[in-house]
Amino acid sequence: MAQDPRDLDDAMLAFWRERHISTLTTTRPDGSPHVVPVGVTFEPETATARVITSRTSRKARNVAEAGPAGLRVAVCQVDRARWATLEGVAVVRDEPERVADAERRYTERYRQPRVNPDRVVIEITVERVLGRG
């Protein structure tokens, strides 16, 4: 059942705080899906998910090439019978303060990311949550 990202129960919120690898699905310019494993953080108060990556990665290029309006994407994590998908519109941000904030959040959920001077953050405005936490 789809839920508003600001109205999740405690089990679903806890699931997004646990350490899980997710997949990010974007679309290539030819319309085909591009699905890759990623670390993702979710801020339910602002309905924002974040993925850090290199600006030259295919996922970042797919989002950037969609233009300023962004690209519809989905991130999904699975742990046995529990699963959750965040759907929304993604944009690429390269402002140092946004990248630093995303790195801090990534460190809290996963570990300190390696140094990457070409790092950007894919910010997803989450519109819908599906799953069973």
Side-chain angles (χ1 to χ4, degrees):
M1 174 193 283
Q3 293 180 289
D4 183 295
R6 293 177 186 87
D7 192 29
L8 300 179
D9 64 28
D10 290 341
M12 186 65 77
L13 292 172
F15 189 41
W16 280 105
R17 286 189 298 268
E18 296 169 9
R19 188 182 193 280
H20 296 286
I21 298 299
S22 299
T23 59
L24 170 66
T25 302
T26 62
T27 49
R28 296 180 182 95
D30 69 2
S32 64
H34 179 255
V35 183
V36 293
V38 295
V40 61
T41 61
F42 177 53
E43 181 183 6
E45 299 82 13
T46 63
T48 304
R50 295 172 179 86
V51 174
I52 58 175
T53 188
S54 179
R55 77 177 63 254
T56 59
S57 70
R58 179 76 260 172
K59 59 188 164 287
R61 292 191 338 254
N62 287 344
V63 174
E65 289 169 6
L71 180 70
R72 294 205 58 79
V73 303
V75 290
C76 180
Q77 68 181 18
V78 178
D79 180 39
R80 299 180 188 186
R82 297 185 307 159
W83 65 277
T85 300
L86 306 176
E87 298 178 353
V89 177
V91 294
V92 174
R93 303 284 190 205
D94 63 0
E95 300 90 341
E97 64 278 0
R98 287 185 185 257
V99 174
D101 179 58
E103 289 173 331
R104 179 188 59 76
R105 293 171 189 278
Y106 181 93
T107 299
E108 289 174 5
R109 187 170 190 206
Y110 298 101
R111 60 175 170 73
Q112 179 71 41
R114 66 177 173 78
V115 173
N116 180 355
D118 291 324
R119 181 165 289 131
V120 294
V121 58
I122 297 172
E123 287 186 357
I124 304 161
T125 301
V126 178
E127 298 169 343
R128 182 167 53 176
V129 179
L130 303 155
R132 182 173 58 202

